[in-house]
Amino acid sequence: MQLQSLQRWMPLIVLAGLCLVIGIIEPRFLTIDNLIRVAASSAMPLVVALGVTFVIVMGSIDLSIEGSLAFSAAVVVSFLSGPAGIGIDLGLFAVVVAIISAALFGALIGYLHVQMQIPSFMASLGMGFVGIGIATLLLGGERVPVDSEAIRAIALSRFMNVPFSVYLAFAMFGLAWFIQNHTVLGRHIMALGGGEELAAQNGVNIKRTRILAFTIAGFYFGTGAVLVSAKLGAASTLIGNGQLFAAISAVVVGGTALTGGNGGVINTLVGVAIVMVLSNGMIIIGLPTYLQQGVLGAAIIVAVLLNMHGRTPQLVK
Amino acid sequence: MSPRSFYEAAKLNRRRFLIGSALGAGTLIVPGAGLRAAFAAEDVALASSIRSLSNAFHVAWNKGGEAFAQSIGAPHSALITEGNSEKGVADIRAFLAQNGAKSVLGVDPNDAPDARPIAEAVSEAGGFVTTVWNKPDDLHPWDFGDNYVAHMSFDGNPAGVDTANALFESMGGSGGIVALGGIPSNTPAIQRKAGLMKAIEDNGNIELLDFQDADWDATKANNIVSAWVTRFGSDIKGIWAANDGMAIGALEALRAEGLAGQILVTGIDGTKDAITAVKNGEMAATVDWDPSWIGGIALSLSYHAATGKLTPSSEPKEHREFYANGVTITQADVEEYWKTNIESSPPAPDWNDLWGRFDRQI
């Protein structure tokens, strides 16, 4: 029992240890300004990772992240004035349209997965390519500027010296935590990850729950796309590049098992923090660039090992 | 990554274009050029093999290919490799099977080794090909007679030197800089970095505070620069980036800190947002490779060989494996560039001036 509770706290202990070690080597890491920078860098990865957490907890996987991000970012600039605009400038409201479109996109992935009985990795991978395709069509392959001061302000304006994107990411975290712990849907998603048959026998509507989980994921990817296009000031088909691996590794590092049924959004928050602290810290202490990838890779493997401890190695395939 | 739908769209466009050019040939029949164009259209089939239509570079390449095709009144198709070497080679084979000796190709091989099977297939079919960027060092156009017309590339080294010098000048000639590199194993990343290093060495008063590989990625560049601001603070006087995507990522990180315009950034590639940033005084320089010209001139080289106007085998070797020049855009000349290239559509390049941008033999 004690070992189990230690394991529960492991990701947080790792995070604290990392901050301490980096802070000792380079005290500037722990300055308020830098911690705000780390938080600002973490906003988008956190939101995206929160989305995929719901799917992973359920025991499935969503590989559409890069395509979903590209698709949603393309929708944002389609509803602004600018070269990719369709003629309707919605200003900040374009964000709402993009997030709703992303949620529907996610729902479609869930629908294909459940109704057509396509494994989630395949349905989401395929739809990810569809997302890239739509983004290519909407953007014409260009990097299209986000022509809205209001949207840019999400990343560029600050309240109490902290960018709005950080508040938004925390609000999204709060929402995810609420869905996970205080709604029937949240409990059903967790139950599916624990054992689908058992959940079905207990009256969980499996199909509906699965579709809704993918919808939530899409909703979060859409929000992530808004954050990244606000930050980079542009939307492009390549905007999601590398985010699939980043999000899934953050979820795993946080202690959520890919087998589903345990972990959750708090683990993801810690996981994203670990990954972002590590990448910020490695630059601040001046680690050579070729070592950084290796350290990050090793960290992921260690995290998985720490998580596996005490569990029957069912899924070592 | 680019989906099939795009390939279909490209085919559709080609059909539309064919109908359009048939109508156009009718109206142009009085001036002599129209006659020649109508004749040439039956004579050759043009194709550009490129990676995708999801990035600005290859989109512009494709537009240049279309523009050249239009200038001679011949059909043009875009063969999209989707970053897949097998698909790239297979699509070219299919195109050759369909068009045989009428095939005129401009190819950006997905990976260097692909150039060999492509060159072999084209010469077997009797078509003509010009490759750009990638080919193995031991593969030479002159080993294939006239069918492998030429290989053109761009040396990242002078681009690295020029952008670095523009950056140093903006800093008053001395101080600390940080630099963002591409994927470390990519040839352009290696060349551009070497150019930067040479410029630093030649200058003597510049300190390279840190060099990080951001893998051509804007988001990664953004995060690295914000960490650098913590680490070096006001010691950073300038940021050099190996491409415009990373330069924009860096610029946005500076903007979030309220430092944009104070610390200047340089990039390479000449994307529109980078040129805009040079114009706004937030970037010191970029280099325009003019991908639209690349797409057109690669086809033009092959076309000149196909129509017998150029006999590759009697050209000097330096004309068959060469580096072409990019155009460095700095704050001093950005206004003029903007007027001629962005505000008004740039004048159509002279597609018959095959060696106009010749730099040197590879």
Side-chain angles (χ1 to χ4, degrees):
Chain A
M1 196 62 203
Q2 242 182 352
L3 187 71
Q4 233 174 8
S5 79
L6 181 72
Q7 197 194 330
R8 211 175 120 91
W9 291 101
M10 204 42 122
L12 205 58
I13 296 168
V14 170
L15 177 62
L18 263 180
C19 289
L20 199 68
V21 170
I22 297 170
I24 289 169
I25 300 175
E26 179 52 74
R28 265 176 291 190
F29 171 79
L30 291 173
T31 55
I32 297 290
D33 276 347
N34 189 54
L35 294 178
I36 290 173
R37 281 176 199 127
V38 175
S41 299
S42 309
M44 187 272 282
L46 173 64
V47 169
V48 172
L50 286 172
V52 81
T53 303
F54 284 101
V55 177
I56 290 178
V57 158
M58 197 170 64
S60 297
I61 192 86
D62 191 334
L63 302 180
S64 76
I65 290 175
E66 297 183 354
S68 294
L69 286 171
F71 164 71
S72 326
V75 173
V76 172
V77 293
S78 295
F79 288 96
L80 295 174
S81 65
I86 56 166
I88 313 164
D89 186 356
L90 295 179
L92 195 58
F93 196 66
V95 165
V96 180
V97 177
I99 294 174
I100 292 172
S101 313
L104 291 175
F105 195 77
L108 182 59
I109 296 174
Y111 179 81
L112 288 173
H113 160 52
V114 168
Q115 219 61 32
M116 313 272 169
Q117 305 257 324
I118 306 169
S120 62
F121 80 94
M122 210 58 230
S124 58
L125 187 65
M127 285 299 287
F129 285 117
V130 171
I132 298 269
I134 298 172
T136 305
L137 265 175
L138 292 174
L139 301 173
E142 305 278 347
R143 204 157 56 217
V144 176
V146 173
D147 228 342
S148 157
E149 290 301 318
I151 295 178
R152 288 310 313 274
I154 296 172
L156 298 179
S157 327
R158 290 167 181 242
F159 175 68
M160 289 172 46
N161 202 27
V162 177
F164 274 116
S165 54
V166 176
Y167 296 104
L168 183 61
F170 266 97
M172 293 300 285
F173 168 73
L175 178 67
W177 178 83
F178 181 80
I179 294 174
Q180 180 187 273
N181 294 329
H182 295 282
T183 64
V184 177
L185 177 65
R187 262 170 273 147
H188 283 182
I189 289 174
M190 191 61 94
L192 277 190
E196 194 163 310
E197 279 174 33
L198 205 62
Q201 282 163 11
N202 284 290
V204 175
N205 183 336
I206 291 177
K207 287 186 176 179
R208 214 193 77 187
T209 307
R210 285 192 168 271
I211 292 176
L212 283 174
F214 278 94
T215 310
I216 296 172
F219 173 77
Y220 273 84
F221 300 157
T223 312
V226 168
L227 288 175
V228 67
S229 37
K231 187 173 179 178
L232 295 178
S236 83
T237 314
L238 308 173
I239 206 159
N241 269 16
Q243 297 307 324
L244 172 65
F245 177 73
I248 290 178
S249 54
V251 170
V252 171
V253 166
T256 300
L258 286 173
T259 42
N262 75 5
V265 298
I266 295 177
N267 294 72
T268 297
L269 177 69
V270 178
V272 170
I274 290 175
V275 172
M276 296 313 288
V277 160
L278 199 56
S279 38
N280 176 281
M282 287 190 294
I283 292 163
I284 288 180
I285 61 181
L287 213 59
T289 180
Y290 55 87
L291 276 178
Q292 293 180 20
Q293 292 285 345
V295 171
L296 213 54
I300 292 167
I301 293 175
V302 170
V304 174
L305 279 179
L306 288 174
N307 266 328
M308 291 244 304
H309 193 76
R311 200 179 307 145
T312 44
Q314 258 178 339
L315 203 90
V316 185
K317 286 179 186 166
Chain B
M1 292 288 253
S2 180
R4 183 160 208 94
S5 61
F6 239 83
Y7 186 53
E8 298 298 328
K11 278 205 295 200
L12 192 69
N13 281 335
R14 197 178 79 212
R15 258 179 239 132
R16 271 196 218 122
F17 170 75
L18 276 173
I19 296 165
S21 63
L23 293 173
T27 56
L28 279 172
I29 206 115
V30 186
L35 277 173
R36 207 196 79 204
F39 170 73
E42 292 162 19
D43 229 35
V44 294
L46 307 176
S48 300
S49 169
I50 50 182
R51 184 169 312 127
S52 76
L53 289 173
S54 351
N55 68 79
F57 185 86
H58 285 113
V59 169
W61 177 310
N62 188 41
K63 277 185 193 148
E66 294 279 345
F68 172 73
Q70 212 147 8
S71 78
I72 61 161
H76 173 259
S77 353
L79 309 175
I80 308 299
T81 68
E82 292 169 15
N84 178 337
S85 296
E86 279 77 31
K87 181 175 189 307
V89 177
D91 283 356
I92 289 172
R93 288 224 168 93
F95 183 81
L96 291 168
Q98 204 180 343
N99 298 293
K102 294 197 295 182
S103 309
V104 167
L105 291 144
V107 178
D108 178 4
N110 184 55
D111 203 0
D114 304 356
R116 192 181 300 278
I118 291 170
E120 284 168 1
V122 172
S123 30
E124 208 168 287
F128 295 88
V129 64
T130 300
T131 54
V132 185
W133 292 116
N134 295 313
K135 79 164 181 59
D137 290 340
D138 62 344
L139 178 80
H140 301 293
W142 47 83
D143 295 336
F144 291 85
D146 288 335
N147 297 95
Y148 188 173
V149 181
H151 175 79
M152 175 169 76
S153 192
F154 294 84
D155 190 353
N157 207 308
V161 173
D162 288 353
T163 51
N165 283 332
L167 185 66
F168 302 161
E169 202 175 306
S170 77
M171 300 158 47
S174 65
I177 64 157
V178 285
L180 295 158
I183 294 173
S185 60
N186 286 180
T187 310
I190 295 166
Q191 289 176 339
R192 292 171 190 185
K193 183 181 179 183
L196 166 74
M197 294 306 181
K198 185 175 180 303
I200 292 173
E201 198 177 313
D202 290 350
N203 182 290
N205 294 318
I206 296 290
E207 188 194 353
L208 179 62
L209 299 169
D210 195 11
F211 187 100
Q212 295 280 341
D213 300 315
D215 304 341
W216 309 119
D217 186 272
T219 306
K220 210 166 187 176
N222 189 287
N223 291 340
I224 291 173
V225 170
S226 74
W228 272 336
V229 172
T230 301
R231 183 170 165 207
F232 300 113
S234 57
D235 290 345
I236 303 173
K237 305 291 183 208
I239 301 176
W240 180 93
N243 82 348
D244 283 344
M246 296 188 295
I248 294 294
L251 177 59
E252 290 302 336
L254 294 176
R255 201 189 303 283
E257 302 282 341
L259 293 168
Q262 298 171 36
I263 298 174
L264 294 198
V265 184
T266 62
I268 295 173
D269 282 350
T271 63
K272 196 180 165 197
D273 44 4
I275 296 168
T276 309
V278 176
K279 190 165 175 278
N280 295 342
E282 293 166 333
M283 276 178 64
T286 181
V287 174
D288 185 7
W289 304 119
D290 200 351
S292 155
W293 176 80
I294 299 174
I297 208 72
L299 288 175
S300 183
L301 278 161
S302 300
Y303 175 73
H304 276 75
T307 52
K309 284 181 229 164
L310 172 79
T311 312
S313 49
S314 58
E315 288 289 325
K317 279 187 177 176
E318 59 168 26
H319 274 181
R320 302 192 68 187
E321 265 190 20
F322 63 98
Y323 284 123
N325 283 314
V327 182
T328 307
I329 305 163
T330 63
Q331 293 189 347
D333 41 36
V334 68
E335 289 297 338
E336 203 190 317
Y337 180 92
W338 190 268
K339 268 186 210 130
T340 52
N341 288 278
I342 311 273
E343 269 176 11
S344 55
S345 58
D350 179 1
W351 299 123
N352 295 316
D353 186 8
L354 297 176
W355 321 109
R357 298 191 190 176
F358 175 83
D359 178 20
R360 61 191 169 84
Q361 189 174 350
I362 292 174

